[in-house]
Amino acid sequence: MAEPAAAAPPVDRLAIVGLGLIGSSIARAARRYGLARDIVAIDGDEAVRDRVRDLAIADRVTGDAAEGVEGADLVVLCVPVGAMGPVAEAMASRLKPGAVVSDVGSVKGSVVAAIQPHLPDGVALVPGHPIAGTEYSGPDAGFSTLFAGRWCILTPPDGTPDAATERVRALWEGMGALVETMSPEHHDLVLAITSHVPHLIAYNIVGTAADLEAVTQSEVIKFSASGFRDFTRIAASDPTMWRDIFLNNRDAVLEMLGRFNEDLAALAKAVRWGDGDALHAMFTRTRAIRRSIVALGQDTAAPDFGRPRPEEDGGKA
Amino acid sequence: MAEPAAAAPPVDRLAIVGLGLIGSSIARAARRYGLARDIVAIDGDEAVRDRVRDLAIADRVTGDAAEGVEGADLVVLCVPVGAMGPVAEAMASRLKPGAVVSDVGSVKGSVVAAIQPHLPDGVALVPGHPIAGTEYSGPDAGFSTLFAGRWCILTPPDGTPDAATERVRALWEGMGALVETMSPEHHDLVLAITSHVPHLIAYNIVGTAADLEAVTQSEVIKFSASGFRDFTRIAASDPTMWRDIFLNNRDAVLEMLGRFNEDLAALAKAVRWGDGDALHAMFTRTRAIRRSIVALGQDTAAPDFGRPRPEEDGGKA
């Protein structure tokens, strides 16, 4: 990870719109690693602004997007996907020539379509998506190392000046992230399978369990350690953010969900007919993917995610 | 958790058949907390027996189940569900009168049916299922605090002497587990939704992702932190154990899977038609279940399961 540089920071004035988990983490990291001379925090929610002032993670705090982006050479929108268009429209007239606008939305095609039309000539759009987060929300949930060792995908539309992309890349690399670029369409397909469908499924099974009449909710909760509880963490993510993701990446989600359902039907058939060989073969090949994820540093190899035990020595006899 | 008792241990001779993750954890915990005077480890695999001897977690190690259970007042079968019947048959003739046989299988109805017919008169069966484990297998994966604060479900068939159930309960409570009893049938229904269907779904989505042609496997692995990686941990569990679970709890699994599919169809419809209110309502109510699980101590509230970050201070600015 980058340490505070003696040279000029890659960003002069950084404006962050939306100080939730991601926005507040960017503010903390940008200051900690010396990535911006000046940080402006913009949020429409007075309670959030008050917390940001108390936390002292920005140089200036305002509720007015247009006023807040004045003089900024990089503006990062950290609001739910459905709010990107209105925010872009509100601030567009005050963006300075040469400014770069970025975002952290989990869907890229619809975000480009929502933001791009509002931007004046001479302002570049470099959409971004950090693959990092937790199930918690709000300015108190953020921390400066959230992006360290995690990937950030940039999806600059055709014709974006290289210098604009490099400015955004410098911010993310400065926060310790690994940067990859791809088209917005490909991003949306990749994330549909690695993120959106898994979340939909997790939300779904937690809902199914809550509705059973033969099994009580207290039994579901008590015996959750058998697999179910990992789904509940995912299903505890921010509802507004996830509603917007599904509304804005509909086609890719439904395509991937269709494939998931075909595969699940085949697996259910193997269960119904007692095809042990098919089940064993399927359960064996999925182990290799897990090993690759741990090897690549995208997860811990600690058993059970290293959840704390009553005695931290692990009790090895 | 119980500390070593000055009184006589609740079990005189404890025989454990199968020294994998669960069996070796029982051996470690029984010794550490003084729950048996004498521990016999029985395993058909020579490599496992060698490891158990090296680890020194039993008083005696043998490959012969019949010889190993002689004189034992409690025998715990820790083999895959499909192997329970053959093991019971092999050891039955040498069980001493008054002995209690238990197991740790993840399915209870079929395990009772597989073991019960082999047991001689005067030997009681008290099936058990500890809701604890990790994605790792084998004698090296075990540890003595695996069961601390976790639930263990006992499913004694009608007519089981209370004293037999109490002997098994004493073992589990001595290892720090919380014990609950229910019928084998109800157990299988509860576990179908809290464990078996979640595992089937996790295996399934990891398989779906591996088969895509438009998204490379390396992209799936790189960007797994967006939700997918939690499924891969579950899908890295022991294939033989899980094959046997699905072959032996078929009806309950297919019933719960049917409900899951109905709910998923409704959710997919909300995505297709852009019904944001329905999505938001669904994503909101699942948060309450997560909170209950954390409140009950069945999971950590640490963000992202407390996965270690490059800087352990969390980087709060």
Side-chain angles (χ1 to χ4, degrees):
Chain A
M1 194 176 329
E3 288 302 314
V11 181
D12 196 46
R13 174 170 292 172
L14 172 65
I16 301 169
V17 187
L19 276 288
L21 168 67
I22 301 293
S24 76
S25 292
I26 294 175
R28 289 174 169 98
R31 171 169 293 179
R32 179 173 180 177
Y33 302 119
L35 304 172
R37 187 185 51 77
D38 186 34
I39 300 172
V40 182
I42 303 164
D43 203 293
D45 183 332
E46 189 174 348
V48 170
R49 292 197 299 273
D50 287 345
R51 278 307 292 153
V52 171
R53 282 192 196 96
D54 290 347
L55 294 164
I57 55 179
D59 297 296
R60 197 155 59 86
V61 183
T62 174
D64 182 337
E67 183 245 326
V69 301
E70 272 194 356
D73 47 347
L74 178 56
V75 179
V76 186
L77 308 185
C78 307
V79 297
V81 166
M84 296 283 181
V87 168
E89 186 173 10
M91 73 184 187
S93 64
R94 310 278 273 277
L95 290 165
K96 78 169 183 183
V100 175
V101 171
S102 188
D103 79 304
V104 298
S106 304
V107 181
K108 297 271 67 93
S110 69
V111 164
V112 171
I115 297 176
Q116 188 82 281
H118 299 295
L119 301 187
D121 287 345
V123 171
L125 175 63
V126 181
H129 179 202
I131 312 298
T134 75
E135 66 275 33
Y136 294 98
S137 318
D140 286 290
F143 49 98
S144 65
T145 57
L146 177 60
F147 312 111
R150 300 285 173 240
W151 290 89
C152 180
I153 301 174
L154 302 183
T155 63
D158 287 341
T160 304
D162 284 350
T165 305
E166 290 313 307
R167 193 180 301 168
V168 178
R169 179 192 290 270
L171 174 69
W172 287 104
E173 291 185 345
M175 296 191 289
L178 308 158
V179 174
E180 178 145 323
T181 61
M182 60 180 69
S183 74
E185 296 69 32
H186 189 65
H187 167 278
D188 289 354
L189 208 56
V190 171
L191 270 289
I193 191 67
T194 59
S195 178
H196 306 169
V197 168
H199 274 78
L200 197 69
I201 288 166
Y203 278 120
N204 190 65
I205 195 167
V206 175
T208 302
D211 285 341
L212 296 173
E213 64 290 338
V215 177
T216 67
Q217 200 141 320
S218 101
E219 286 176 321
V220 168
I221 291 164
K222 266 187 194 171
F223 307 125
S224 63
S226 51
F228 183 75
R229 69 172 172 194
D230 295 350
F231 288 71
T232 66
R233 187 190 71 86
I234 300 177
S237 301
D238 185 67
T240 302
M241 170 179 156
W242 283 96
R243 177 198 63 196
D244 286 1
I245 288 172
F246 292 112
L247 295 179
N248 285 281
N249 197 22
R250 187 186 65 180
D251 293 346
V253 166
L254 291 175
E255 157 68 19
M256 292 300 175
L257 193 58
R259 290 165 180 258
F260 170 85
N261 278 329
E262 283 169 24
D263 292 341
L264 189 59
L267 208 44
K269 191 172 176 179
V271 171
R272 186 177 296 281
W273 291 94
D275 187 347
D277 291 343
L279 294 174
H280 195 275
M282 168 73 175
F283 299 166
T284 302
R285 83 190 185 100
T286 51
R287 282 189 141 178
I289 290 191
R290 175 69 189 168
R291 277 194 292 269
S292 306
I293 287 172
V294 171
L296 222 77
Q298 293 302 302
D299 205 355
T300 169
D304 204 15
F305 296 130
R307 285 185 172 88
R309 302 260 161 206
E311 299 180 40
E312 287 290 17
D313 66 356
K316 289 274 175 191
Chain B
M1 195 177 328
E3 287 302 315
V11 182
D12 197 45
R13 174 169 292 171
L14 172 65
I16 301 168
V17 187
L19 277 288
L21 168 67
I22 301 293
S24 75
S25 293
I26 294 174
R28 289 174 169 98
R31 171 168 293 178
R32 178 171 182 180
Y33 302 118
L35 304 172
R37 187 186 51 77
D38 186 34
I39 299 171
V40 183
I42 304 163
D43 202 294
D45 183 332
E46 190 175 346
V48 171
R49 292 197 299 274
D50 287 345
R51 278 306 292 153
V52 171
R53 283 193 195 95
D54 290 347
L55 293 164
I57 54 179
D59 297 296
R60 195 155 61 83
V61 183
T62 174
D64 183 334
E67 184 247 324
V69 303
E70 272 193 355
D73 48 349
L74 178 56
V75 179
V76 185
L77 307 184
C78 308
V79 297
V81 165
M84 296 283 182
V87 168
E89 186 173 11
M91 72 182 188
S93 64
R94 309 279 274 276
L95 290 165
K96 79 169 181 184
V100 175
V101 172
S102 188
D103 78 304
V104 298
S106 305
V107 182
K108 297 273 65 92
S110 69
V111 164
V112 171
I115 297 176
Q116 189 84 280
H118 300 294
L119 301 187
D121 287 346
V123 171
L125 174 63
V126 181
H129 178 202
I131 311 299
T134 75
E135 66 275 34
Y136 293 99
S137 317
D140 287 291
F143 49 99
S144 65
T145 56
L146 178 59
F147 312 111
R150 299 284 172 243
W151 289 89
C152 180
I153 301 173
L154 302 183
T155 63
D158 287 341
T160 303
D162 284 349
T165 304
E166 290 313 307
R167 194 179 302 167
V168 179
R169 178 192 291 271
L171 174 70
W172 286 104
E173 291 185 344
M175 297 191 291
L178 308 159
V179 173
E180 178 145 323
T181 61
M182 60 180 71
S183 74
E185 297 69 32
H186 189 65
H187 167 278
D188 289 355
L189 208 57
V190 171
L191 271 289
I193 191 67
T194 59
S195 178
H196 306 169
V197 168
H199 274 79
L200 198 69
I201 287 167
Y203 278 120
N204 189 66
I205 196 167
V206 175
T208 301
D211 285 342
L212 296 173
E213 64 289 339
V215 177
T216 67
Q217 199 141 320
S218 101
E219 286 176 320
V220 169
I221 291 163
K222 265 187 194 171
F223 307 125
S224 63
S226 51
F228 183 75
R229 69 172 173 195
D230 295 350
F231 288 72
T232 68
R233 187 190 73 87
I234 300 177
S237 302
D238 185 66
T240 302
M241 170 180 155
W242 281 96
R243 176 199 65 195
D244 286 1
I245 288 172
F246 292 112
L247 296 179
N248 286 280
N249 198 22
R250 186 186 64 181
D251 294 346
V253 166
L254 292 176
E255 158 69 17
M256 291 300 175
L257 195 57
R259 289 166 181 257
F260 169 86
N261 278 328
E262 284 169 23
D263 292 342
L264 190 59
L267 208 43
K269 191 171 175 178
V271 171
R272 186 176 298 281
W273 290 94
D275 187 347
D277 290 343
L279 294 173
H280 195 275
M282 169 73 176
F283 300 167
T284 302
R285 84 192 185 100
T286 52
R287 284 188 139 177
I289 291 190
R290 175 69 187 167
R291 276 194 292 269
S292 305
I293 287 172
V294 171
L296 222 77
Q298 292 302 302
D299 205 354
T300 169
D304 204 14
F305 296 130
R307 284 185 172 89
R309 303 260 160 205
E311 299 180 39
E312 288 290 18
D313 66 354
K316 289 274 179 192

